[in-house]
Amino acid sequence: MLHRFPAASPVRLVRNLFLAAAVLIVGTLGAAEAEALKPYKDRLFRYKNVTESLYDGAFIVVEYSKQRDLRDRDEVDERKVFGNYVSYRPKRGRGSAELTANGRTVSYMGSGNWKGGANTIVIYVHGQGGNRFQGMNDVSFGGNFNRIQNLMARNGGAYLTVDVKDFDGRGTGDVAALIQHQKQLSPRAKVVVACGSMGGIICWNLLKNSNTARMLNGVLLLGSPKDPGFLSSGALSRNVPIYMGYGTLDSVYNWETQANFFKQIKSAAPNYPIWFTLFDTGTHGTPIRMTDWRLVLNWMLR
């Protein structure tokens, strides 16, 4: 049964949510192991203040300040970040392409080693109303899409964005076809798919399908809906790492509902590799702006 909570501060709600958990532990983020991705602008993009840490660091609350993290960061609020947050080095290898699969045409863009020879592949799937250009915008969302492009380009990886026309089996098939195509070009590459908002439906579908799940080394859900079918799909045994990011003021997908789903997964499989990051006072798009790509990817790629 899901918990319901009275109006209270997000930190207090988090404590209430996990009060009965068997593993209420304050931990640290990440282990001191070899990191796949070298630092890039970490001082600018790392979390400034983690106010709560549970499940040995798998569930954290991160302070989000609209003044610091948006107004002081953007030259034009929500449209153009200040120049010190970006580097246009990845533009030199950026391009567009089309893939024909399942009788459909899949349009996508890539940067880094997207034409072959990548050691890591990150694919971004947009939400409803978005397109492949969203995830290639260097200056929106506080420059965070530019950061992931630089992390891939500077570490021998590839970054791709894809147009999704349907958030169902057809859209899932399009993304699966792109993954398969990229694996043919870079057979040894590890693959991570990041899904924004409704795009998360496709990420869950990829996890539930054994054929596509075996190609994945991680999935990021950025303000996305939960999928109860995941629990009974057999996907828990595959141990594909999952990151879930939400804002406490998200008016599209309630964070408490998603946090309860995280708790269900940990109850069913206590050792399942899953992280949940809650951005205190953040809104629906905050996880795309604020998620620390390098921190999450290094955890997944280990």
Side-chain angles (χ1 to χ4, degrees):
M1 179 181 296
L2 298 184
H3 297 273
R4 297 190 63 83
F5 310 101
S9 71
V11 170
R12 185 187 301 172
L13 287 176
V14 168
R15 289 173 180 162
N16 290 342
L17 177 62
F18 295 111
L19 188 60
V23 281
L24 184 60
I25 303 170
V26 175
T28 56
L29 290 174
E33 300 177 26
E35 296 179 315
L37 305 178
K38 295 177 291 186
Y40 173 74
K41 295 187 182 290
D42 283 26
R43 183 182 63 82
L44 294 175
F45 287 94
R46 66 170 172 250
Y47 303 141
K48 301 301 186 292
N49 187 21
V50 176
T51 60
E52 191 81 0
S53 180
L54 306 173
Y55 280 86
D56 199 22
F59 188 111
I60 63 171
V61 180
V62 174
E63 177 189 75
Y64 173 71
S65 164
K66 190 171 184 178
Q67 182 64 50
R68 180 192 64 213
D69 299 319
L70 193 153
R71 295 194 179 104
D72 293 345
R73 182 166 165 177
D74 286 2
E75 184 177 348
V76 180
D77 286 0
E78 299 183 346
R79 294 184 179 274
K80 184 180 181 182
V81 72
F82 281 108
N84 59 314
Y85 282 84
V86 302
S87 165
Y88 293 102
R89 173 175 167 179
K91 290 185 71 172
R92 289 178 291 196
R94 187 184 296 173
S96 299
E98 291 184 341
L99 175 68
T100 301
N102 305 317
R104 293 158 62 87
T105 299
V106 183
S107 300
Y108 64 99
M109 299 178 68
S111 62
N113 294 345
W114 65 288
K115 295 183 179 180
N119 52 34
T120 306
I121 298 167
V122 175
I123 298 174
Y124 175 71
V125 179
H126 62 79
Q128 188 174 38
N131 54 46
R132 67 188 182 279
F133 299 105
Q134 181 192 61
M136 282 291 177
N137 192 318
D138 292 296
V139 297
S140 67
F141 290 100
N144 216 15
F145 283 127
N146 180 264
R147 190 188 189 210
I148 181 56
Q149 290 181 71
N150 272 281
L151 284 171
M152 291 299 98
R154 296 166 186 267
N155 289 279
Y159 173 72
L160 298 99
T161 64
V162 56
D163 272 351
V164 176
K165 301 173 184 176
D166 308 283
F167 295 95
D168 56 15
R170 292 169 296 180
T172 304
D174 292 344
V175 176
L178 181 59
I179 296 172
Q180 290 173 331
H181 177 64
Q182 282 295 305
K183 286 290 284 183
Q184 290 173 354
L185 296 175
S186 303
R188 298 183 179 179
K190 295 183 177 181
V191 177
V192 173
V193 180
C195 295
S197 190
M198 190 178 285
I201 295 171
I202 289 176
C203 269
W204 288 118
N205 287 344
L206 293 171
L207 287 169
K208 291 187 295 184
N209 185 294
S210 60
N211 292 324
T212 53
R214 68 167 58 102
M215 296 187 290
L216 298 177
N217 296 91
V219 159
L220 286 84
L221 297 154
L222 307 168
S224 298
K226 66 175 184 176
D227 185 344
F230 172 78
L231 294 170
S232 59
S233 67
L236 286 174
S237 64
R238 300 182 192 117
N239 282 324
V240 178
I242 297 173
Y243 166 86
M244 303 174 72
Y246 298 89
T248 61
L249 302 183
D250 190 333
S251 61
V252 181
Y253 299 114
N254 178 268
W255 75 266
E256 294 174 57
T257 301
Q258 314 310 319
N260 267 313
F261 191 59
F262 165 89
K263 186 177 179 180
Q264 286 182 292
I265 292 173
K266 293 300 282 185
S267 295
N271 294 321
Y272 192 91
I274 181 169
W275 277 9
F276 192 109
T277 299
L278 181 64
F279 297 96
D280 191 1
T281 74
T283 57
H284 186 54
T286 300
I288 295 178
R289 166 181 283 267
M290 296 298 296
T291 290
D292 186 337
W293 285 103
R294 180 171 175 265
L295 178 70
V296 175
L297 291 175
N298 274 336
W299 165 64
M300 291 180 169
L301 297 175
R302 278 198 295 266

